[in-house]
Amino acid sequence: MFARVTTYELEEGRASESIDVFEPAIGRIRDLDGFVDAYFLVERDGRHAVTMTLWETLDTMERSRVSASSARTEAARDAGAEVTSTYELEVGIHSGASDAGRAMLGGRSRM
């Protein structure tokens, strides 16, 4: 699994509003091939936000770049935010509530 993580600096006082603005942007990429999940994290009383999208493979993440960039740029503009960084990363460990006590690294179970 692969992740694209983008950080934003928000205009003061627009943190809550940014949630509503980013929701349609995430909706635009939800139907792309290889899409797994997406998160929008926001400092409620602050000026920072993060998006993280998860992709099945490196190939599907790479093929989503143009669509994701367009959605990200438009949402940032509408939210009065500035994109400060974007990273594309391999997910080294993934553990959810149903995976208690188990972590994955390179496709191998690590206990």
Side-chain angles (χ1 to χ4, degrees):
M1 187 165 22
F2 292 82
R4 181 178 296 114
V5 179
T6 300
T7 61
Y8 306 86
E9 187 170 322
L10 305 171
E11 287 183 6
E12 192 169 338
R14 294 189 69 180
S16 293
E17 176 189 346
S18 69
I19 296 169
D20 293 332
V21 173
F22 273 84
E23 189 171 4
I26 289 174
R28 287 176 49 192
I29 61 166
R30 186 175 289 125
D31 293 329
L32 295 177
D33 184 44
F35 175 84
V36 174
D37 211 347
Y39 296 89
F40 180 68
L41 311 170
V42 63
E43 225 178 7
R44 290 302 242 170
D45 297 327
R47 297 190 51 176
H48 300 98
V50 176
T51 54
M52 180 174 68
T53 55
L54 298 172
W55 302 90
E56 290 176 354
T57 66
L58 177 60
D59 181 60
T60 56
M61 181 174 65
E62 288 173 341
R63 287 188 282 127
S64 75
R65 273 188 194 139
V66 172
S67 296
S69 178
S70 174
R72 175 174 55 245
T73 301
E74 185 177 316
R77 183 192 67 232
D78 292 348
E82 178 184 341
V83 174
T84 55
S85 65
T86 298
Y87 301 96
E88 292 185 345
L89 309 161
E90 182 172 8
V91 176
I93 298 173
H94 173 262
S95 181
S98 64
D99 298 328
R102 183 173 62 98
M104 298 296 288
L105 179 60
R108 297 178 305 276
S109 182
R110 309 277 282 190
M111 302 205 69

